[in-house]
């Protein structure tokens, strides 16, 4: 079979490496992929948001199955376009991807169906938002409605900062059109857990839980990033918590989407906070998390392609989805300065004897075949082990074997998780 994966980051590299193990797949294409993914798939220079280009390529090359991984192409309707050409896909249609594409939609969905989340108000008028903030409890959380690459969220510790955030979103439009509508919500506390799940709209199968580290610097300081590292499983996510989440969050969400005529098929990502009042949804994503995927898929025992086909066919209940009873750690190596200004174009080398799995996010090949840095997050170094502590120690030992100028990484990935034990 010929399978194409839309996207070109570390998450897509992890998906491609997992799919590569499937005996059912003969050829894997990545659109556009990257310099590192090129070792595992045929990379074709078609952008992830170029729906026409993707569809034309799929038709011309008789693609049997497509996996649409990033948020933008999903929210723009790439799955709908491919399906219209008769190509089965893993990923939600546009009308279901809105669960990530609009925070106003997802907050209203949770309110309507009683799914636990932070209390909130939505605004499409700046004066009203500012007036509400005069008396809102502080800290407060302000979110731009649309996709803003994970950066559309401001946690305001003071009233002044809250006013500034609203003005910059709604007047200065720092997140563009996303600032037309905003959500102002209650500040929650507690450990965060990412739970990715497979769902065909009837059955929901949570994957092993994980924990992201979103801030740029050690001890959760610095700016929010796309994610500086992950561990799995998340020790705060006990069996009791998992059971509660299934009953109060996962199944109700799938049913709510069905009731709205927006059946969700693909990977539904639950960003949860385990608050003193129980688990609550911080965000939904309509796709695999990045870099959560880099620790979740290495622990998957079942053939990923079999699962993806069952999701597309609506037969997920017939697949026995199994994970290894082990742990994984991903340390992201970034370009110094990320998520703001950074330089690129430095050669990446890996010492002989590096035992880590390396998932490349931002790199390209030059004419001489050298791998050069080409993004903020450059790659993820991933190790697995029976115990979390050993997975973390191994990942950090292997990071020492990966080199490029101006490399930057956090030194405390997994530290909070180890304290939970
Ligand atoms: P989001 O893009 O919605 O996942 O938000 C990014 C990060 O902001 C989350 O991972 C949380 O750490 C934090 N956050 C979002 N909403 C809240 C909230 N209501 N209370 C506390 N922290 C939040
Ligand atoms: N790691 C968080 C996300 O993928 O949105």
């Amino acid at each position: 079979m010929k399978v194409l994966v839309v996207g070109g980051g570390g998450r897509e590299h992890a998906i491609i490496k997992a799919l590569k193990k499937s005996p059912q797949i003969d050829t894997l294409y990545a659109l556009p992929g990257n310099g590192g993914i090129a070792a595992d798939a045929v990379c074709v220079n078609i952008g992830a948001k170029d729906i026409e280009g993707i569809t034309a390529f799929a038709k011309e090359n008789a693609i049997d199955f497509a996996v649409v991984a990033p948020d933008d192409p999903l929210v723009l309707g790439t799955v709908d376009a491919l399906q219209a050409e008769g190509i089965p896909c893993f990923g939600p249609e546009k009308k279901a991807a809105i669960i990530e594409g609009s925070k106003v939609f997802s907050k209203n969905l949770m309110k309507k169906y009683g799914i636990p989340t932070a209390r909130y108000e939505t605004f499409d008028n700046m004066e009203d938002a500012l007036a509400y903030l005069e008396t809102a409890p502080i800290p407060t959380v302000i979110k731009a409605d649309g996709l803003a690459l994970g950066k559309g969220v401001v946690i305001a510790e003071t009233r002044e900062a809250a006013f500034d955030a609203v003005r910059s979103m709604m007047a200065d439009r720092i997140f563009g059109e996303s600032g037309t509508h905003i959500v102002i919500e209650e500040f929650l506390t507690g450990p965060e857990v990412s739970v990715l799940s497979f769902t065909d709209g009837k059955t929901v199968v949570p994957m092993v839980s994980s924990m992201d580290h979103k801030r740029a610097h050690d001890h959760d300081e610095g700016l929010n990033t796309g994610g500086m590292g992950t561990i799995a499983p998340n020790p705060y996510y006990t069996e009791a918590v998992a059971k509660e989440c299934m009953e109060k969050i996962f199944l109700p969400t799938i049913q709510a989407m069905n009731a709205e005529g927006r059946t969700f098929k693909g990977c539904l990502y639950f960003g949860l906070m385990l608050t003193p009042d129980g688990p609550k949804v911080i965000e939904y994503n309509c796709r695999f998390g990045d870099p959560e995927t880099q620790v979740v898929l290495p622990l998957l025992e079942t053939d990923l392609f079999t699962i993806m086909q069952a999701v597309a066919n609506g037969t997920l209940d017939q697949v026995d989805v199994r994970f290894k009873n082990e742990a994984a750690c991903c340390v992201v190596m970034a370009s110094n300065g990320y998520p703001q200004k950074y330089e690129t174009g430095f050669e990446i080398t890996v010492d002989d004897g590096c035992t880590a799995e390396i998932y490349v996010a931002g790199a390209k090949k030059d004419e001489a075949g050298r791998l050069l840095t080409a993004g903020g997050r450059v790659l993820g170094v991933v190790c697995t082990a029976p115990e979390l502590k050993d997975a973390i120690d191994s990942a950090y030992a292997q990071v020492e074997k990966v080199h490029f100028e101006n490399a930057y990484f956090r030194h405390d990935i997994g530290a909070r998780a180890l304290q939970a034990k």
Side-chain angles (χ1 to χ4, degrees):
M1 288 236 231
K2 288 177 167 182
V3 175
L4 84 74
V5 176
V6 175
R11 162 185 55 206
E12 288 75 18
H13 200 182
I15 291 171
I16 283 167
K17 283 216 191 193
L19 288 174
K20 225 180 136 180
K21 292 192 239 162
S22 174
Q24 303 173 69
I25 300 179
D26 305 305
T27 317
L28 265 169
Y29 296 94
L31 276 57
N34 67 41
I37 292 177
D40 297 291
V42 180
C43 293
V44 184
N45 194 15
I46 296 175
K49 289 196 269 183
D50 177 1
I51 301 187
E52 275 178 29
I54 293 166
T55 317
F57 176 86
K59 266 180 9 192
E60 278 157 28
N61 293 277
I63 295 297
D64 297 296
F65 194 88
V67 179
V68 182
D71 46 2
D72 280 331
L74 289 166
V75 171
L76 292 170
T78 307
V79 167
D80 309 56
L82 287 163
Q83 285 176 351
E85 297 296 342
I87 298 161
C89 292
F90 180 87
E93 292 172 6
K94 183 176 179 171
K95 63 176 188 280
I98 191 175
I99 198 165
E100 172 169 6
S102 166
K103 292 204 188 284
V104 173
F105 171 85
S106 64
K107 293 299 292 191
N108 289 341
L109 184 87
M110 289 186 267
K111 184 185 266 180
K112 182 170 172 187
Y113 293 92
I115 297 163
T117 188
R119 279 193 293 273
Y120 72 101
E121 297 288 337
T122 63
F123 298 93
D124 53 17
N125 171 307
M126 187 167 77
E127 300 315 316
D128 294 347
L130 294 174
Y132 170 79
L133 283 177
E134 294 283 354
T135 54
I138 299 293
T140 189
V141 183
I142 299 157
K143 300 185 174 184
D145 181 39
L147 292 178
L149 295 171
K151 301 186 188 90
V153 175
V154 173
I155 301 192
E157 308 274 354
T158 63
R159 210 166 293 283
E160 219 26 66
F163 290 137
D164 287 348
V166 166
R167 285 194 200 101
S168 59
M169 284 182 197
M170 300 193 89
D172 308 341
R173 293 296 168 96
I174 56 164
F175 302 119
E177 284 306 301
S178 293
T180 318
H181 303 282
I182 64 162
V183 175
I184 300 182
E185 70 177 32
E186 173 196 13
F187 175 74
L188 300 175
T189 55
E192 284 186 57
V193 184
S194 305
V195 180
L196 284 54
S197 69
F198 293 110
T199 178
D200 60 0
K202 293 176 276 188
T203 306
V204 56
V205 180
M207 300 180 220
V208 63
S209 61
S210 53
M211 184 191 284
D212 194 4
H213 298 71
K214 287 199 165 125
R215 300 294 200 91
H217 305 306
D218 288 3
H219 315 299
D220 289 329
E221 285 170 10
L223 292 172
N224 254 325
T225 69
M228 293 300 295
T230 37
I231 57 94
N234 185 324
Y236 291 99
Y237 191 73
T238 59
E239 269 181 41
V241 174
K243 188 166 176 285
E244 190 177 355
C245 288
M246 180 58 93
E247 285 165 11
K248 295 189 179 155
I249 297 175
F250 305 160
L251 287 172
T253 301
I254 300 302
Q255 286 155 4
M257 290 297 276
N258 286 337
E260 294 291 310
R262 296 176 185 272
T263 296
F264 190 103
K265 289 182 170 198
C267 173
L268 183 54
Y269 167 131
F270 300 90
L272 308 171
M273 197 170 262
L274 308 182
T275 76
D277 300 328
K280 295 194 178 175
V281 177
I282 290 282
E283 65 163 347
Y284 292 114
N285 290 328
C286 65
R287 50 169 177 89
F288 284 97
D290 188 345
E292 284 90 342
T293 307
Q294 289 89 314
V295 286
V296 168
L297 291 185
L299 298 175
L300 179 66
E301 255 173 8
T302 313
D303 181 306
L304 177 62
F305 189 50
T306 301
I307 302 171
M308 288 185 159
Q309 285 176 301
V311 165
N313 295 338
T315 54
L316 185 58
D317 61 335
Q318 291 165 33
V319 183
D320 182 18
V321 179
R322 284 174 186 266
F323 284 86
K324 289 179 203 156
N325 191 13
E326 291 193 6
C329 174
C330 170
V331 178
V332 169
M333 296 180 74
S335 301
N336 195 22
Y338 171 77
Q340 292 178 299
K341 259 179 72 137
Y342 53 83
E343 286 178 63
T344 58
F346 301 114
E347 184 175 6
I348 302 166
T349 58
V350 180
D351 294 346
D352 287 345
C354 176
T355 54
E357 194 67 86
I358 293 178
Y359 297 122
V360 177
K364 62 174 188 218
K365 280 258 167 78
D366 69 2
E367 298 84 58
R370 296 180 312 166
L371 196 59
L372 307 180
T373 64
R377 288 189 294 175
V378 174
L379 51 85
V381 175
V382 178
C383 288
T384 59
E387 296 296 331
L388 180 59
K389 177 157 191 339
D390 298 324
I392 296 168
D393 290 347
S394 304
Y396 276 108
Q398 299 305 312
V399 160
E400 296 303 322
K401 299 181 182 167
V402 181
H403 313 279
F404 55 90
E405 228 173 282
N406 279 354
Y408 171 82
F409 58 90
R410 273 181 62 161
H411 294 82
D412 63 344
I413 302 303
R416 178 156 192 208
L418 287 179
Q419 283 167 9
K421 297 233 159 173

